[in-house]
Amino acid sequence: MEFGASTWLWTSPFTSNQIALLEKIAAQGFDFVEIPVEAAEHISVAQLKPVLARLGLDVVICTAVTGERNLSSDDAAIRKNALQYFESCIALAAGLGASCVVGPLYASVGKARLATEALRQAEWERSVAGLSQLADTASLHGIHLGIEPLNRFETDMVNNVDDALRMVQQVNSPWLGISFDTFHMNIEETSFRFAVERAGERLVHVQVSDSHRGVPGDGNSDWAGLREGLKAIGYNGKIGIESFSPDASSLAEAVCIWRRFAENQDEFASKGLAFLRGWWSEV
């Protein structure tokens, strides 16, 4: 199993000039880095690719799905902007040799309200149409996409594995799968093992923190169930730690990180990695 860390654990936004952070992630013993793309112009393939090769770090591209990147919008200009942004993420993934592009690709984070069934269906259909187009683009580059279910406070569209499977099945492309985040799973799924087994071969990526967004192993997440599910389906993807730094003020406010989970973010990462390596090796 390969374990990685998101640059969001330390900073926002990540840019190609932050080579020292990549060196730190490699030195801590991580196998890969998750790079969130807050703006495509922040990331230079030419600058980063040789650095990642030197450090021996694989890459996963994580999307930042803001209001102007909403595939479910009734505004054609917003949907066009979303498609252009996601296509730029796919191009970056291809250029950096990333295994996948993940996130709540279907709609912007924060879209949570009690809508009429007709409105919900219209938004769903627009998301399916947009994802179908993106899957076609991804197939040209050999990049898998993973839609991430979010908890009820962050979206009203895809909250759990059943929602994700329904969307993936309607798009019906081998290039579109599911990406889990254990923080959201802890709120929305009835069983980690059941959710993973339901996703099966559609599972392309897993992000982890503990139930409180803290250090893996320090909360009440069902780690045994997660491991059992992943081993039952023969998961051969990656597992990345995703949390956020209280020092990145705008992002911390957006995800409601009001306190520290470790003395510093380096300790968060090292403790999390040590837990994950021990957890995965348990019989």
Side-chain angles (χ1 to χ4, degrees):
M1 179 61 67
E2 292 187 17
F3 298 106
S6 170
T7 59
W8 264 336
L9 191 56
W10 290 271
T11 189
S12 172
F14 174 79
T15 70
S16 297
N17 295 323
Q18 294 170 294
I19 303 304
L21 177 53
L22 298 179
E23 292 173 337
K24 177 189 296 185
I25 290 170
Q28 287 192 329
F30 287 100
D31 304 303
F32 73 94
V33 59
E34 281 190 24
I35 297 181
V37 181
E38 296 188 44
E41 58 267 26
H42 290 165
I43 311 298
S44 164
V45 170
Q47 192 171 351
L48 285 184
K49 189 170 184 178
V51 174
L52 294 167
R54 170 173 62 84
L55 297 174
L57 286 175
D58 287 341
V59 187
V60 168
I61 294 295
C62 180
T63 56
V65 192
T66 53
E68 70 276 11
R69 299 166 178 170
N70 181 5
L71 284 181
S72 72
S73 176
D74 61 358
D75 186 327
I78 290 177
R79 296 198 304 276
K80 180 179 179 180
N81 187 67
L83 284 168
Q84 290 174 340
Y85 164 73
F86 291 130
E87 286 168 353
S88 71
C89 289
I90 293 169
L92 287 171
L96 292 173
S99 57
C100 56
V101 173
V102 301
L105 311 177
Y106 45 85
S108 54
V109 177
K111 190 185 77 65
R113 73 283 183 271
L114 189 62
T116 65
E117 188 57 37
L119 177 59
R120 288 171 62 86
Q121 182 61 31
E123 290 179 340
W124 182 277
E125 290 173 0
R126 287 192 288 268
S127 292
V128 167
L131 288 170
S132 297
Q133 185 172 335
L134 285 177
D136 287 344
T137 301
S139 72
L140 300 176
H141 298 277
I143 300 294
H144 285 91
L145 307 177
I147 59 170
E148 178 185 352
L150 300 181
N151 72 75
R152 67 195 67 192
F153 305 108
E154 298 184 35
T155 191
D156 60 4
M157 184 171 282
V158 178
N159 298 129
N160 58 28
V161 65
D162 288 334
D163 295 335
L165 280 172
R166 183 161 68 94
M167 182 163 279
V168 166
Q169 288 162 357
Q170 288 185 20
V171 173
N172 192 28
S173 167
W175 298 98
L176 181 68
I178 297 171
S179 176
F180 278 140
D181 182 326
T182 58
F183 173 75
H184 301 293
M185 292 176 73
N186 200 60
I187 297 172
E188 298 296 343
E189 304 292 354
T190 58
S191 161
F192 276 24
R193 177 167 185 166
F194 174 80
V196 170
E197 290 183 347
R198 283 275 291 148
E201 63 181 10
R202 291 293 199 176
L203 185 60
V204 300
H205 188 57
V206 177
Q207 295 171 328
V208 297
S209 59
D210 220 311
S211 52
H212 52 346
R213 269 290 188 211
V215 180
D218 282 358
N220 60 20
S221 293
D222 180 15
W223 291 101
L226 179 64
R227 182 181 61 240
E228 291 162 4
L230 293 173
K231 291 192 173 183
I233 67 170
Y235 177 71
N236 61 359
K238 293 175 167 62
I239 297 178
I241 299 175
E242 184 194 65
S243 189
F244 308 91
S245 172
D247 300 318
S249 58
S250 60
L251 187 58
E253 183 175 358
V255 297
C256 301
I257 298 290
W258 311 124
R259 60 187 174 87
R260 294 189 181 279
F261 298 109
E263 283 294 316
N264 53 62
Q265 297 307 101
D266 292 351
E267 181 182 286
F268 188 125
S270 61
K271 286 179 63 178
L273 179 58
F275 168 79
L276 290 173
R277 292 206 184 279
W279 158 78
W280 187 251
S281 67
E282 291 179 21
V283 177

PDB file of all heavy atoms in Angstrom, residues 253-271:
ATOM      1  N   GLU A 253     -10.997  28.342   7.875  1.00  0.00           N
ATOM      2  CA  GLU A 253     -12.350  28.844   8.128  1.00  0.00           C
ATOM      3  C   GLU A 253     -13.367  28.097   7.280  1.00  0.00           C
ATOM      4  O   GLU A 253     -14.448  27.734   7.759  1.00  0.00           O
ATOM      5  CB  GLU A 253     -12.418  30.341   7.821  1.00  0.00           C
ATOM      6  CG  GLU A 253     -13.769  30.958   8.122  1.00  0.00           C
ATOM      7  CD  GLU A 253     -13.781  32.458   7.919  1.00  0.00           C
ATOM      8  OE1 GLU A 253     -12.724  33.033   7.578  1.00  0.00           O
ATOM      9  OE2 GLU A 253     -14.855  33.049   8.089  1.00  0.00           O
ATOM     10  N   ALA A 254     -13.013  27.817   6.033  1.00  0.00           N
ATOM     11  CA  ALA A 254     -13.951  27.133   5.139  1.00  0.00           C
ATOM     12  C   ALA A 254     -14.276  25.729   5.627  1.00  0.00           C
ATOM     13  O   ALA A 254     -15.409  25.256   5.482  1.00  0.00           O
ATOM     14  CB  ALA A 254     -13.373  27.082   3.727  1.00  0.00           C
ATOM     15  N   VAL A 255     -13.299  25.036   6.215  1.00  0.00           N
ATOM     16  CA  VAL A 255     -13.507  23.656   6.663  1.00  0.00           C
ATOM     17  C   VAL A 255     -13.665  23.564   8.181  1.00  0.00           C
ATOM     18  O   VAL A 255     -13.696  22.466   8.738  1.00  0.00           O
ATOM     19  CB  VAL A 255     -12.376  22.731   6.188  1.00  0.00           C
ATOM     20  CG1 VAL A 255     -12.350  22.661   4.671  1.00  0.00           C
ATOM     21  CG2 VAL A 255     -11.022  23.194   6.722  1.00  0.00           C
ATOM     22  N   CYS A 256     -13.753  24.711   8.829  1.00  0.00           N
ATOM     23  CA  CYS A 256     -14.028  24.782  10.278  1.00  0.00           C
ATOM     24  C   CYS A 256     -12.957  24.088  11.115  1.00  0.00           C
ATOM     25  O   CYS A 256     -13.259  23.290  12.008  1.00  0.00           O
ATOM     26  CB  CYS A 256     -15.406  24.201  10.586  1.00  0.00           C
ATOM     27  SG  CYS A 256     -16.747  25.055   9.729  1.00  0.00           S
ATOM     28  N   ILE A 257     -11.699  24.384  10.817  1.00  0.00           N
ATOM     29  CA  ILE A 257     -10.588  23.918  11.646  1.00  0.00           C
ATOM     30  C   ILE A 257     -10.261  25.026  12.646  1.00  0.00           C
ATOM     31  O   ILE A 257      -9.626  26.019  12.307  1.00  0.00           O
ATOM     32  CB  ILE A 257      -9.342  23.586  10.789  1.00  0.00           C
ATOM     33  CG1 ILE A 257      -9.645  22.455   9.815  1.00  0.00           C
ATOM     34  CG2 ILE A 257      -8.156  23.228  11.689  1.00  0.00           C
ATOM     35  CD1 ILE A 257      -9.832  21.095  10.446  1.00  0.00           C
ATOM     36  N   TRP A 258     -10.742  24.871  13.875  1.00  0.00           N
ATOM     37  CA  TRP A 258     -10.596  25.927  14.877  1.00  0.00           C
ATOM     38  C   TRP A 258      -9.492  25.641  15.887  1.00  0.00           C
ATOM     39  O   TRP A 258      -9.170  26.485  16.709  1.00  0.00           O
ATOM     40  CB  TRP A 258     -11.907  26.126  15.643  1.00  0.00           C
ATOM     41  CG  TRP A 258     -13.114  26.248  14.781  1.00  0.00           C
ATOM     42  CD1 TRP A 258     -14.234  25.481  14.836  1.00  0.00           C
ATOM     43  CD2 TRP A 258     -13.353  27.189  13.730  1.00  0.00           C
ATOM     44  NE1 TRP A 258     -15.149  25.861  13.892  1.00  0.00           N
ATOM     45  CE2 TRP A 258     -14.641  26.920  13.187  1.00  0.00           C
ATOM     46  CE3 TRP A 258     -12.605  28.227  13.167  1.00  0.00           C
ATOM     47  CZ2 TRP A 258     -15.201  27.648  12.140  1.00  0.00           C
ATOM     48  CZ3 TRP A 258     -13.166  28.956  12.119  1.00  0.00           C
ATOM     49  CH2 TRP A 258     -14.438  28.666  11.633  1.00  0.00           C
ATOM     50  N   ARG A 259      -8.933  24.438  15.880  1.00  0.00           N
ATOM     51  CA  ARG A 259      -7.901  24.086  16.862  1.00  0.00           C
ATOM     52  C   ARG A 259      -6.883  23.151  16.215  1.00  0.00           C
ATOM     53  O   ARG A 259      -7.155  22.543  15.191  1.00  0.00           O
ATOM     54  CB  ARG A 259      -8.527  23.406  18.082  1.00  0.00           C
ATOM     55  CG  ARG A 259      -9.269  22.123  17.764  1.00  0.00           C
ATOM     56  CD  ARG A 259     -10.015  21.601  18.998  1.00  0.00           C
ATOM     57  NE  ARG A 259     -10.858  20.449  18.687  1.00  0.00           N
ATOM     58  CZ  ARG A 259     -10.461  19.197  18.690  1.00  0.00           C
ATOM     59  NH1 ARG A 259      -9.199  18.920  18.998  1.00  0.00           N
ATOM     60  NH2 ARG A 259     -11.283  18.211  18.418  1.00  0.00           N
ATOM     61  N   ARG A 260      -5.745  23.038  16.862  1.00  0.00           N
ATOM     62  CA  ARG A 260      -4.692  22.155  16.374  1.00  0.00           C
ATOM     63  C   ARG A 260      -4.930  20.732  16.855  1.00  0.00           C
ATOM     64  O   ARG A 260      -5.432  20.510  17.959  1.00  0.00           O
ATOM     65  CB  ARG A 260      -3.333  22.639  16.853  1.00  0.00           C
ATOM     66  CG  ARG A 260      -2.940  23.983  16.267  1.00  0.00           C
ATOM     67  CD  ARG A 260      -1.489  24.331  16.585  1.00  0.00           C
ATOM     68  NE  ARG A 260      -1.169  25.634  16.012  1.00  0.00           N
ATOM     69  CZ  ARG A 260      -0.840  25.832  14.741  1.00  0.00           C
ATOM     70  NH1 ARG A 260      -0.773  24.807  13.915  1.00  0.00           N
ATOM     71  NH2 ARG A 260      -0.577  27.040  14.295  1.00  0.00           N
ATOM     72  N   PHE A 261      -4.522  19.768  16.025  1.00  0.00           N
ATOM     73  CA  PHE A 261      -4.615  18.365  16.385  1.00  0.00           C
ATOM     74  C   PHE A 261      -3.253  17.789  16.766  1.00  0.00           C
ATOM     75  O   PHE A 261      -3.154  16.632  17.172  1.00  0.00           O
ATOM     76  CB  PHE A 261      -5.204  17.564  15.231  1.00  0.00           C
ATOM     77  CG  PHE A 261      -6.611  17.990  14.887  1.00  0.00           C
ATOM     78  CD1 PHE A 261      -6.865  18.683  13.711  1.00  0.00           C
ATOM     79  CD2 PHE A 261      -7.663  17.718  15.734  1.00  0.00           C
ATOM     80  CE1 PHE A 261      -8.159  19.075  13.385  1.00  0.00           C
ATOM     81  CE2 PHE A 261      -8.961  18.099  15.416  1.00  0.00           C
ATOM     82  CZ  PHE A 261      -9.206  18.784  14.249  1.00  0.00           C
ATOM     83  N   ALA A 262      -2.204  18.583  16.609  1.00  0.00           N
ATOM     84  CA  ALA A 262      -0.853  18.188  16.976  1.00  0.00           C
ATOM     85  C   ALA A 262      -0.082  19.474  17.254  1.00  0.00           C
ATOM     86  O   ALA A 262      -0.560  20.578  16.975  1.00  0.00           O
ATOM     87  CB  ALA A 262      -0.195  17.388  15.860  1.00  0.00           C
ATOM     88  N   GLU A 263       1.122  19.336  17.803  1.00  0.00           N
ATOM     89  CA  GLU A 263       1.928  20.517  18.090  1.00  0.00           C
ATOM     90  C   GLU A 263       2.171  21.339  16.835  1.00  0.00           C
ATOM     91  O   GLU A 263       2.181  22.560  16.864  1.00  0.00           O
ATOM     92  CB  GLU A 263       3.270  20.094  18.704  1.00  0.00           C
ATOM     93  CG  GLU A 263       3.191  19.701  20.163  1.00  0.00           C
ATOM     94  CD  GLU A 263       2.839  20.866  21.064  1.00  0.00           C
ATOM     95  OE1 GLU A 263       3.404  21.964  20.873  1.00  0.00           O
ATOM     96  OE2 GLU A 263       1.992  20.684  21.960  1.00  0.00           O
ATOM     97  N   ASN A 264       2.357  20.649  15.713  1.00  0.00           N
ATOM     98  CA  ASN A 264       2.537  21.316  14.430  1.00  0.00           C
ATOM     99  C   ASN A 264       2.130  20.343  13.336  1.00  0.00           C
ATOM    100  O   ASN A 264       1.863  19.165  13.601  1.00  0.00           O
ATOM    101  CB  ASN A 264       3.983  21.793  14.250  1.00  0.00           C
ATOM    102  CG  ASN A 264       4.987  20.676  14.464  1.00  0.00           C
ATOM    103  OD1 ASN A 264       4.981  19.682  13.730  1.00  0.00           O
ATOM    104  ND2 ASN A 264       5.852  20.823  15.475  1.00  0.00           N
ATOM    105  N   GLN A 265       2.082  20.825  12.110  1.00  0.00           N
ATOM    106  CA  GLN A 265       1.586  20.005  11.012  1.00  0.00           C
ATOM    107  C   GLN A 265       2.571  18.903  10.632  1.00  0.00           C
ATOM    108  O   GLN A 265       2.167  17.843  10.133  1.00  0.00           O
ATOM    109  CB  GLN A 265       1.260  20.881   9.806  1.00  0.00           C
ATOM    110  CG  GLN A 265       0.140  21.895  10.071  1.00  0.00           C
ATOM    111  CD  GLN A 265      -1.124  21.255  10.627  1.00  0.00           C
ATOM    112  OE1 GLN A 265      -1.385  21.303  11.838  1.00  0.00           O
ATOM    113  NE2 GLN A 265      -1.907  20.643   9.766  1.00  0.00           N
ATOM    114  N   ASP A 266       3.862  19.118  10.874  1.00  0.00           N
ATOM    115  CA  ASP A 266       4.834  18.050  10.623  1.00  0.00           C
ATOM    116  C   ASP A 266       4.563  16.863  11.547  1.00  0.00           C
ATOM    117  O   ASP A 266       4.631  15.701  11.121  1.00  0.00           O
ATOM    118  CB  ASP A 266       6.252  18.558  10.862  1.00  0.00           C
ATOM    119  CG  ASP A 266       6.691  19.587   9.838  1.00  0.00           C
ATOM    120  OD1 ASP A 266       5.974  19.782   8.838  1.00  0.00           O
ATOM    121  OD2 ASP A 266       7.763  20.194  10.036  1.00  0.00           O
ATOM    122  N   GLU A 267       4.253  17.147  12.800  1.00  0.00           N
ATOM    123  CA  GLU A 267       3.941  16.070  13.747  1.00  0.00           C
ATOM    124  C   GLU A 267       2.651  15.366  13.356  1.00  0.00           C
ATOM    125  O   GLU A 267       2.546  14.135  13.456  1.00  0.00           O
ATOM    126  CB  GLU A 267       3.825  16.629  15.164  1.00  0.00           C
ATOM    127  CG  GLU A 267       3.526  15.558  16.205  1.00  0.00           C
ATOM    128  CD  GLU A 267       3.357  16.138  17.590  1.00  0.00           C
ATOM    129  OE1 GLU A 267       4.382  16.514  18.193  1.00  0.00           O
ATOM    130  OE2 GLU A 267       2.193  16.222  18.066  1.00  0.00           O
ATOM    131  N   PHE A 268       1.657  16.125  12.913  1.00  0.00           N
ATOM    132  CA  PHE A 268       0.400  15.546  12.420  1.00  0.00           C
ATOM    133  C   PHE A 268       0.713  14.512  11.342  1.00  0.00           C
ATOM    134  O   PHE A 268       0.230  13.365  11.388  1.00  0.00           O
ATOM    135  CB  PHE A 268      -0.475  16.664  11.865  1.00  0.00           C
ATOM    136  CG  PHE A 268      -1.880  16.280  11.490  1.00  0.00           C
ATOM    137  CD1 PHE A 268      -2.961  16.954  12.025  1.00  0.00           C
ATOM    138  CD2 PHE A 268      -2.147  15.257  10.577  1.00  0.00           C
ATOM    139  CE1 PHE A 268      -4.260  16.608  11.681  1.00  0.00           C
ATOM    140  CE2 PHE A 268      -3.436  14.902  10.213  1.00  0.00           C
ATOM    141  CZ  PHE A 268      -4.498  15.590  10.767  1.00  0.00           C
ATOM    142  N   ALA A 269       1.530  14.902  10.385  1.00  0.00           N
ATOM    143  CA  ALA A 269       1.838  14.018   9.259  1.00  0.00           C
ATOM    144  C   ALA A 269       2.613  12.789   9.703  1.00  0.00           C
ATOM    145  O   ALA A 269       2.292  11.656   9.303  1.00  0.00           O
ATOM    146  CB  ALA A 269       2.625  14.789   8.201  1.00  0.00           C
ATOM    147  N   SER A 270       3.641  12.975  10.510  1.00  0.00           N
ATOM    148  CA  SER A 270       4.479  11.840  10.905  1.00  0.00           C
ATOM    149  C   SER A 270       3.713  10.869  11.788  1.00  0.00           C
ATOM    150  O   SER A 270       3.846   9.644  11.631  1.00  0.00           O
ATOM    151  CB  SER A 270       5.749  12.332  11.604  1.00  0.00           C
ATOM    152  OG  SER A 270       5.434  13.053  12.786  1.00  0.00           O
ATOM    153  N   LYS A 271       2.906  11.370  12.715  1.00  0.00           N
ATOM    154  CA  LYS A 271       2.100  10.483  13.557  1.00  0.00           C
ATOM    155  C   LYS A 271       1.068   9.734  12.715  1.00  0.00           C
ATOM    156  O   LYS A 271       0.822   8.545  12.921  1.00  0.00           O
ATOM    157  CB  LYS A 271       1.395  11.280  14.654  1.00  0.00           C
ATOM    158  CG  LYS A 271       2.295  11.740  15.783  1.00  0.00           C
ATOM    159  CD  LYS A 271       1.518  12.552  16.817  1.00  0.00           C
ATOM    160  CE  LYS A 271       0.439  11.725  17.497  1.00  0.00           C
ATOM    161  NZ  LYS A 271      -0.275  12.532  18.535  1.00  0.00           N
TER     162      LYS A 271
END
